Amino acid sequence: MRRETESLLACAALAEKYTVIDPQYVPSYHIAPPCGWMNDPCGLCYFRGEHHIFYQYSPFAPERGLIFWGHTATRDFINYRQYPPALAPDMPFDCHGVYTGSAVAEDDRLRLFYTGNVRDAADRAGDGILSGRRQTVITCCSENGTVFPEKQIVLAPEDYPKGLSCHVRDPKIIPSPDGYDMLLGMRTIDGRGGFLRYHTASMKDGGRWVLSDRFEDEDGSYMWECPDELIFGPQRFFSCCRQSTEPRTDAAGYFSEDTARRPTGGFHLWDAGPDFYAPQTWRDGTGRTLLLAWMGKPGSAEGGLCPECSHGWVHALTLPRVITVENGNLRISPLPELDSICGHRIPVKKHGGMRIASCFSLSIGPGPFCIRCGALSMKSEGGVFTLDPGRYGAGRMPVLIPADGAGYTVFFDRSPVEGLPRACGPT
């Protein structure tokens, strides 16, 4: 292990050991950082009987700082094993952050792909968009899924097509019948979002990636990030996070794909809540498609929106969700394994009020209801489902969506709250 790597990992270990964490809001069954900052899930995969979950992680303070890849793993989504950070910003091509990426398991080895971020200190006039930044696609491989000794550049900024800004990132690897595809989110120099698609026939030495498609959005977004592709037989869906300025939105959703594997039709949100971003999918050992996302959004830790910052940590990941296709539409449902996670599972079928604390889930049948948990309230009436976080929301506005006729499962986990229709499609 390089000296720089050892030093950075030692500093991270010291932060995890000595940071004082107030446990009041620390979730019981959502993945949260040991300390400091968490954002995008990365490298989600099923490898040697375990789900490996990596995530953007800055251990030194509950704010976005020097980004590592945190690492945890589970066999059952109930018991988790926390590992030391898998990747550290220890090379000249990633020294300002190991950004989002993905993983592929092949030949009993686990290979990661990620974005190495570097800001150019010499380019003081650079805004980091058109100049002053380098974002490079890097790969590394592990024999055991925990230690990734050698890093290798597979695509440098000079390899990208012309007309792009400095923002080209978040490689997602998709297996294909004749090799692998790589999706990269991007922003053009004239401020349009989109993606690049590369292809390689073999993963040997990290692959030899050839550009096969370039797509630019013409519907007002200036950046696409966290691209993903979901494949269900002949049906394909393209997932991404679209950033727009008028109005200012950071939206995580998906399109259907046409026969050319390009987005088509409407953009459907994955989730209607205020804290959902950077979703990523993977297949488990039984072939299910699972999804995790960051319970946050760009800028969400600013302006007092996350009171847990004063407790030594900030943010969490969503609970895993199962994605299926029904009548040509994506369906989202809670992971069945979650039934045994919560301390209490309470059926709610009638219109009434409740005050409950700690960790529990609610099974809510169809029809009107009203639930209060401290300052937070949920209700369904007149065909509208409303979640109002009240003072617990730290400035977040109530969420109103059409009520679902099948009922809901709502998970309370000290600070995270997730409500999922029992089987839901586009909202």
Side-chain angles (χ1 to χ4, degrees):
M1 184 179 295
R2 300 175 69 248
R3 182 178 302 174
E4 293 86 347
T5 310
E6 291 180 343
S7 297
L8 285 166
L9 294 179
C11 290
L14 289 172
E16 293 176 359
K17 182 176 181 179
Y18 291 108
T19 298
V20 177
I21 301 295
D22 186 327
Q24 179 180 0
Y25 296 124
V26 174
S28 174
Y29 49 85
H30 285 75
I31 296 173
C35 61
W37 166 280
M38 162 189 280
N39 59 299
D40 303 6
C42 309
L44 308 181
C45 61
Y46 187 74
F47 179 66
R48 294 185 181 176
E50 287 190 304
H51 300 272
H52 286 261
I53 299 167
F54 304 89
Y55 52 87
Q56 299 280 273
Y57 175 44
S58 183
F60 305 120
E63 59 187 28
R64 186 174 179 84
L66 192 60
I67 297 295
F68 295 66
W69 270 29
H71 184 195
T72 189
T74 181
R75 294 181 181 274
D76 54 15
F77 297 104
I78 299 171
N79 303 292
Y80 287 85
R81 176 164 40 175
Q82 185 70 35
Y83 288 101
L87 298 176
D90 57 357
M91 297 293 288
F93 46 68
D94 65 11
C95 58
H96 296 144
V98 287
Y99 280 13
T100 300
S102 57
V104 58
E106 184 185 60
D107 298 331
D108 204 34
R109 296 185 299 173
L110 185 60
R111 181 176 290 278
L112 304 183
F113 289 81
Y114 70 95
T115 299
N117 186 64
V118 178
R119 291 300 303 267
D120 186 357
D123 186 2
R124 297 184 180 274
D127 58 4
I129 300 173
L130 299 180
S131 64
R133 184 192 301 270
R134 289 179 61 85
Q135 293 195 324
T136 302
V137 179
I138 301 162
T139 187
C140 50
C141 195
S142 173
E143 300 290 342
N144 60 10
T146 59
V147 179
F148 297 85
E150 299 293 335
K151 296 178 177 180
Q152 173 189 349
I153 294 175
V154 294
L155 288 172
E158 294 76 18
D159 300 317
Y160 304 144
K162 295 180 179 180
L164 303 186
S165 72
C166 299
H167 288 279
V168 181
R169 60 175 175 266
D170 306 343
K172 179 61 187 279
I173 307 301
I174 309 291
S176 70
D178 57 348
Y180 295 89
D181 285 355
M182 177 196 294
L183 301 175
L184 287 171
M186 58 90 163
R187 172 177 180 166
T188 66
I189 58 174
D190 56 354
R192 288 193 291 178
F195 72 89
L196 305 174
R197 186 187 294 271
Y198 286 82
H199 182 78
T200 183
S202 169
M203 198 58 75
K204 182 179 179 181
D205 297 326
R208 297 181 181 274
W209 298 95
V210 177
L211 183 68
S212 60
D213 194 16
R214 170 177 175 169
F215 179 86
E216 295 179 15
D217 187 20
E218 297 182 355
D219 195 26
S221 67
Y222 67 83
M223 176 72 200
W224 284 18
E225 55 184 358
C226 306
D228 198 353
E229 188 173 48
L230 292 78
I231 304 172
F232 297 90
Q235 287 189 277
R236 296 173 180 265
F237 300 86
F238 187 92
S239 173
C240 66
C241 294
R242 297 175 75 242
Q243 297 181 339
S244 306
T245 54
E246 296 180 2
R248 169 65 186 182
T249 56
D250 298 289
Y254 61 90
F255 302 89
S256 294
E257 286 188 353
D258 61 20
T259 55
R261 300 176 67 184
R262 287 183 151 211
T264 185
F267 182 69
H268 305 288
L269 294 180
W270 280 113
D271 191 288
D275 296 288
F276 185 97
Y277 202 71
Q280 189 172 120
T281 64
W282 78 106
R283 292 283 180 91
D284 72 0
T286 65
R288 294 182 303 179
T289 297
L290 307 182
L291 178 147
L292 270 179
W294 170 33
M295 292 191 79
K297 279 189 176 180
S300 61
E302 301 168 2
L305 285 178
C306 297
E308 67 268 30
C309 285
S310 63
H311 293 219
W313 66 281
V314 67
H315 294 313
L317 301 183
T318 65
L319 295 175
R321 307 175 185 191
V322 182
I323 312 299
T324 56
V325 172
E326 182 178 318
N327 298 323
N329 296 316
L330 289 184
R331 297 292 173 182
I332 308 165
S333 57
L335 193 71
E337 291 91 321
L338 302 180
D339 287 347
S340 61
I341 289 179
C342 304
H344 308 281
R345 186 171 178 83
I346 305 170
V348 179
K349 297 181 179 178
K350 297 182 179 180
H351 193 288
M354 307 178 69
R355 289 181 64 89
I356 314 174
S358 193
C359 302
F360 63 95
S361 69
L362 299 178
S363 177
I364 304 172
F369 66 87
C370 180
I371 299 170
R372 292 185 180 87
C373 182
L376 181 145
S377 67
M378 291 182 294
K379 65 179 180 180
S380 179
E381 60 182 10
V384 177
F385 175 86
T386 304
L387 169 63
D388 185 352
R391 62 181 174 84
Y392 293 163
R396 291 169 177 81
M397 301 299 293
V399 175
L400 288 77
I401 60 173
D404 186 85
Y408 300 86
T409 301
V410 183
F411 299 90
F412 292 77
D413 192 11
R414 295 197 179 100
S415 51
V417 177
E418 289 191 65
L420 291 175
R422 290 177 178 168
C424 62
T427 57

